[in-house]
Amino acid sequence: MLHDNHADSPTPVVSVAPLTLPAPGRGDDLQVRVSAPASGHRLPVVLFSHGYGWSMNGYAPLVDHWAAHGFVVVQPTHLDSRTLDIAPEDPRHPEIWRIRVADLTHVLDHLDLVENAVPGLAGRVDRDRVAVVGHSWGGQTVSMLLGARVLDAAGVPGEDLSDPRVTAGVLLATTGTGGADLTPFAAEHFPFMNPTFAEMTTPALVVAGDRDQSALSVRGPDWFTDPYHLSPGPKSLLTLFGAEHGLGGIAGHLVAETTDENPARVALLQRLTTAYLRSALDPADDSWATASAELTTSPDPLGRLESK
C-alpha cells in the first residue's frame, strides 16, 4: 500500500539513466530512465511513454512528482526520439508505432534488470501493481496495452496488444478516431492513427485540453475525448480549461512545445494523476475520491471531471 505520508510530503528520489535493456531485433538497444523513492516498500510501477520526438529525459514535472510520492517510474526512449536521429528512410519507420508498444512490454519483461539497476531498490517493487501513462503519441502507445486496437483499411481491428500485467492507465492528450476525422496528410502518412477503443476495458483516466487543436484532425479539441467516450468503463475524463497540447507544460519547464505554460495547471495534473494512480492501484486508497471532490467543489476550477 502507498502510505498516506507520501501524499503530503515528498520523499527523496533516486534516478538512474541510461539503463540499457538488450533488445535483439530492434536495431538499437532500449534505453530507459528509472526514478524511484529512496524509501518505502511495495512500490507500484508507472511505465511512461513520451510524445513524438521526446526521450527518457523529458516530463520531469510529472515523473519527479510521481517518484517523490511513492512510484517507481520507468521511461523508455522510443525510436522516434530526436536523441536517436533515425533517418526517414530507415526501414523501421512504418513500424515505429508497433515497436513503441513492444518497448513497453519489453520493460515489463525485464523488471528484474530495472529493479536491480537502482541502488537499494531491489525487493521494494510491487510487480502486481503496474500502470501505464503516455502523452500524445505516447498516449496512443499505452492505450494499446489497455486494449485499444488499430483498424485496418477495411475497418477490421488488428492485433490485440493488451497486457494483463497492466492494472490502469492515464492517457494525456491522446488522439481520437481516424478515417474521416484525419486530415488528408495524416491519413496518408499515419495509417496507424485509426484506433478503436471498444475493447479498451482497463480502467483509465483520460486528460484533454479544451483548446487542443490538432493539425492532424479536421475536428476540434473534442477529438481528444474519444478515448473516454468510445471506450467501456470504468473511465474518467478530466477536461482542462484553456489547455493546449502541452497541458500547461508537462513535458518540461520552458520547452518549445509548451504553448500554454501554466504552472497551476501542471500542479493540478500532478495532484490528480497521483491521486488517480494511487487509488487505481490500491482499491483501499481514497486519494482519488478526495481529489475529485476538491476539484468539483472549487469556486474557480481549472477543469471539469466526469466518470462512467
Side-chain angles (χ1 to χ4, degrees):
M1 172 181 285
L2 288 173
H3 300 295
D4 288 341
N5 64 311
H6 280 309
D8 303 316
S9 54
T11 59
V13 171
V14 178
S15 189
V16 172
L19 168 62
T20 300
L21 301 181
R26 186 175 181 267
D28 293 88
D29 285 337
L30 183 60
Q31 304 284 328
V32 304
R33 171 181 291 274
V34 187
S35 303
S39 61
H41 295 277
R42 291 195 62 230
L43 303 172
V45 176
V46 171
L47 187 53
F48 185 86
S49 180
H50 63 73
Y52 174 77
W54 277 89
S55 73
M56 62 183 175
N57 295 317
Y59 298 90
L62 291 181
V63 170
D64 292 352
H65 189 271
W66 295 330
H69 290 81
F71 297 91
V72 177
V73 186
V74 187
Q75 298 172 267
T77 293
H78 298 300
L79 289 180
D80 56 280
S81 173
R82 288 187 291 266
T83 63
L84 297 179
D85 195 26
I86 291 178
E89 61 271 16
D90 190 294
R92 293 171 292 179
H93 256 287
E95 290 295 306
I96 282 182
W97 73 269
R98 190 183 294 272
I99 298 171
R100 275 175 148 264
V101 179
D103 289 346
L104 301 184
T105 57
H106 195 68
V107 170
L108 295 178
D109 291 341
H110 294 85
L111 282 179
D112 280 338
L113 294 178
V114 170
E115 191 170 332
N116 291 324
V118 180
L121 184 59
R124 296 169 50 219
V125 178
D126 187 345
R127 310 261 184 107
D128 292 327
R129 292 191 294 156
V130 176
V132 290
V133 183
H135 175 238
S136 192
W137 197 4
Q140 191 263 358
T141 302
V142 304
S143 75
M144 305 295 288
L145 273 72
L146 303 176
R149 295 162 76 170
V150 172
L151 299 172
D152 66 15
V156 177
E159 184 182 358
D160 178 6
L161 299 174
S162 61
D163 196 305
R165 294 171 292 187
V166 175
T167 306
V170 177
L171 307 181
L172 304 165
T174 299
T175 55
T177 52
D181 290 342
L182 297 179
T183 62
F185 176 87
E188 178 183 354
H189 292 88
F190 309 120
F192 60 88
M193 292 184 66
N194 194 22
T196 172
F197 301 106
E199 303 299 326
M200 195 173 78
T201 56
T202 306
L205 168 64
V206 177
V207 180
D210 69 0
R211 292 188 185 174
D212 188 356
Q213 180 61 59
S214 175
L216 301 175
S217 177
V218 297
R219 283 173 55 194
D222 70 299
W223 189 46
F224 293 94
T225 68
D226 283 356
Y228 171 78
H229 290 296
L230 302 179
S231 66
K235 298 290 186 298
S236 293
L237 172 65
L238 172 64
T239 302
L240 294 172
F241 302 149
E244 299 176 12
H245 202 58
L247 302 177
I250 59 171
H253 304 290
L254 301 175
V255 298
E257 283 87 346
T258 303
T259 56
D260 63 335
E261 186 176 3
N262 187 315
R265 186 176 298 140
V266 174
L268 176 69
L269 269 178
Q270 289 172 331
R271 294 193 304 273
L272 286 178
T273 55
T274 300
Y276 180 82
L277 291 167
R278 285 168 58 89
S279 296
L281 296 174
D282 181 0
D285 189 290
D286 63 358
S287 299
W288 178 239
T290 301
S292 301
E294 289 176 354
L295 177 68
T296 56
T297 59
S298 170
D300 187 21
L302 297 175
R304 68 175 176 273
L305 191 63
E306 56 189 284
S307 297
K308 63 179 182 180

